[in-house]
Amino acid sequence: MDKFIIQGGISLEGEVVISGSKNAALPVLCSSILADGPCIYTNIPRLRDITTITDVLSTLGMGIERPERNTITIDPTNLVSYEAPYELVKSMRASILVLGPLLAKYKRAKVSLPGGCAIGVRPIDMHLKALTKMGADITLSHGYVMASTEGIKGATIVFDTPTVGGTENIMMAATLAQGTTVIQGAAKEPEVVDLANALITMGARIEGAGESTITIEGMSSLSGLEYEVIPDRIEVGTFLVAGAITRGDLLIKGARAEHVVAVAEKLSEMGVVITEEDGGAIRVNGKTDLRPVQVETVPYPGFPTDMQAQIMALACISQGVSTITENIFENRYMHVPELMRMGGRLEEKGPTVIVHGVDQFQGASVMATDLRASASLVLAALNARGVTEIRRIYHLDRGYEELDRKLNLLGAKVMRERGGL
Ligand code: EPU
């Protein structure tokens, strides 16, 4: 397994270009199942999770090509299988997003149950309940979701708590349903809106994406398309923190400032100077003393759970006591003991972590545990006095395109050591 060796204490300076959004690309690629013609997707990041989803689609018989680095073309017309196997789903939960489209288009699907994951139990009960209400017959057998239908029908779906993947699965199924579907309590994340835009480009009739009620009028068929996915707002947020934690000065290009408002607000409260520049660029200047902060993760447009670990790393070097509360996932604090190994002073109290500021992290050997936890360790290492070794960085490769190369272009010293434990 690869590891990073990071020489810390260097202020990052310069420009970085943001990649396409992983969490937008995954459902958008799955939505190609619904199309009757070729689909061309651009701004797709080169990541392990993207390879996993294209492997799932290949297993179904879809023709996948990568004519350019960030372009994927899909020919969805020759499906030979309706099964997403355990070997693929276990390495990425988002594979469950083939369930809605397969049912709507081919009336059957067999998808491995994802099982637990590092950040929490993460059930898919809301997806299954909603699809059942839309006319799917679903059983769980030998670790698989076995689903069939005589035809998906429009229905009113009420999510008691917003679910990003659930909203996406149901929205995709509803595009080819008989009748109208109304999703109440829908997730409002930009990735949901991006999927809706891709579906609308295919000819789907969707209103209200980005609001809590989404209405989808079912169609009899959808066409192929050419579509560019949105930039990755979590990568933007991570580079905002990178600028702040190294007391650097970065120009983050290709970002959508409107997608990172909650993160920018919290960083500004801490004293970080963030300015919006022309052409979708954001400047972050961290040459300041940091104030402590109170953060609670909530669904969009609130502060995202996917930025909780990164802002915690920043809070560790602020002057005072911060509190960070995780409300979305029950086990998303695996970075806490690792940050403590690097000199962070943190106390975990149920869903809240109390952070007592220190001057600087210290280099240490640490272990990456999940994607965003790994990002927080990289950020802490960039700030640290001395050298940090981060093992198991395959987690980072799932979700950050060429993070080491991008950081090194900004002056960081991140070395990737290949192989080993
Ligand atoms: N939940 C249920 N039942 C369900 C569905 C969700 O109990 O049927 C619970 C989950 O366990 C969780 C909460 O509802 O506690 C929210 O889960 P949601 O369905 O919104 O999350 P997701 O779709 O599985 C996506 C992102 C995550 C991100 C969350 C929250 C993708 C591929 N994944 O997951 O991204 O944290 O939304 O914003 O879009 C990451 O990129 O590191 C990542 C984990």
Side-chain angles (χ1 to χ4, degrees), residues 21-23 26 45-52 88-95 117-119 122 232 369-372 374 392-402 416:
S21 159
K22 162 182 86 81
N23 288 350
L26 292 170
R46 270 215 175 242
L47 299 170
R48 258 188 20 145
D49 276 8
I50 298 294
T51 309
T52 305
L88 293 171
V89 180
K90 78 169 188 315
S91 61
M92 192 190 60
R93 303 176 47 80
S95 315
C117 82
I119 61 177
R122 297 181 79 183
D232 195 314
T369 48
D370 71 75
L371 172 56
R372 308 303 171 188
S374 314
R392 301 204 177 166
I393 48 120
Y394 62 86
H395 292 291
L396 276 171
D397 296 334
R398 290 186 55 175
Y400 288 93
E401 189 175 41
E402 299 191 307
R416 181 185 286 260

Side-chain angles (χ1 to χ4, degrees), residues 22-24 26-27 49 92-94 97 119-128 161-166 168 187 189 191 233-234 299 304-306 327-330 332 370-372:
K22 162 182 86 81
N23 288 350
L26 292 170
D49 276 8
M92 192 190 60
R93 303 176 47 80
L97 293 171
I119 61 177
V121 180
R122 297 181 79 183
I124 53 160
D125 56 315
M126 293 196 268
H127 302 229
L128 303 186
T161 52
T163 156
V164 175
E168 291 166 347
E189 270 68 1
E191 294 76 18
R233 66 191 167 102
I234 305 302
T305 173
D306 290 344
N327 292 314
I328 311 293
F329 294 109
E330 70 271 23
R332 212 173 193 182
D370 71 75
L371 172 56
R372 308 303 171 188

Side-chain angles (χ1 to χ4, degrees), residues 93-288:
R93 303 176 47 80
S95 315
I96 194 69
L97 293 171
V98 299
L99 181 61
L102 279 176
L103 266 176
K105 178 102 191 262
Y106 296 99
K107 299 190 167 60
R108 58 187 164 129
K110 179 179 174 188
V111 180
S112 171
L113 274 168
C117 82
I119 61 177
V121 180
R122 297 181 79 183
I124 53 160
D125 56 315
M126 293 196 268
H127 302 229
L128 303 186
K129 203 170 141 196
L131 287 169
T132 304
K133 193 158 182 211
M134 295 171 83
D137 186 6
I138 295 180
T139 52
L140 302 182
S141 173
H142 300 284
Y144 276 82
V145 177
M146 314 286 287
S148 62
T149 178
E150 284 172 11
I152 288 292
K153 296 186 197 66
T156 296
I157 304 297
V158 182
F159 289 128
D160 296 334
T161 52
T163 156
V164 175
T167 304
E168 291 166 347
N169 235 340
I170 299 316
M171 197 162 67
M172 288 191 276
T175 57
L176 288 182
Q178 208 178 37
T180 302
T181 300
V182 178
I183 308 177
Q184 290 172 0
K188 301 176 190 167
E189 270 68 1
E191 294 76 18
V192 171
V193 177
D194 205 39
L195 173 63
N197 287 337
L199 292 166
I200 289 166
T201 312
M202 293 161 87
R205 296 210 184 118
I206 302 176
E207 273 176 26
E211 294 160 30
S212 58
T213 301
I214 305 178
T215 306
I216 307 118
E217 208 183 301
M219 313 276 294
S220 54
S221 67
L222 295 174
S223 62
L225 79 168
E226 191 167 341
Y227 192 76
E228 178 179 334
V229 304
I230 52 169
D232 195 314
R233 66 191 167 102
I234 305 302
E235 189 190 12
V236 175
T238 304
F239 275 101
L240 286 173
V241 176
I245 208 164
T246 63
R247 308 212 188 287
D249 187 2
L250 303 183
L251 188 65
I252 301 171
K253 293 176 110 174
R256 295 254 185 107
E258 70 273 23
H259 291 169
V260 292
V261 171
V263 173
E265 265 174 23
K266 282 294 162 191
L267 295 180
S268 302
E269 269 180 43
M270 295 179 82
V272 180
V273 180
I274 295 175
T275 40
E276 214 180 311
E277 310 242 328
D278 291 342
I282 304 175
R283 181 173 290 281
V284 54
N285 184 301
K287 297 182 191 306
T288 173

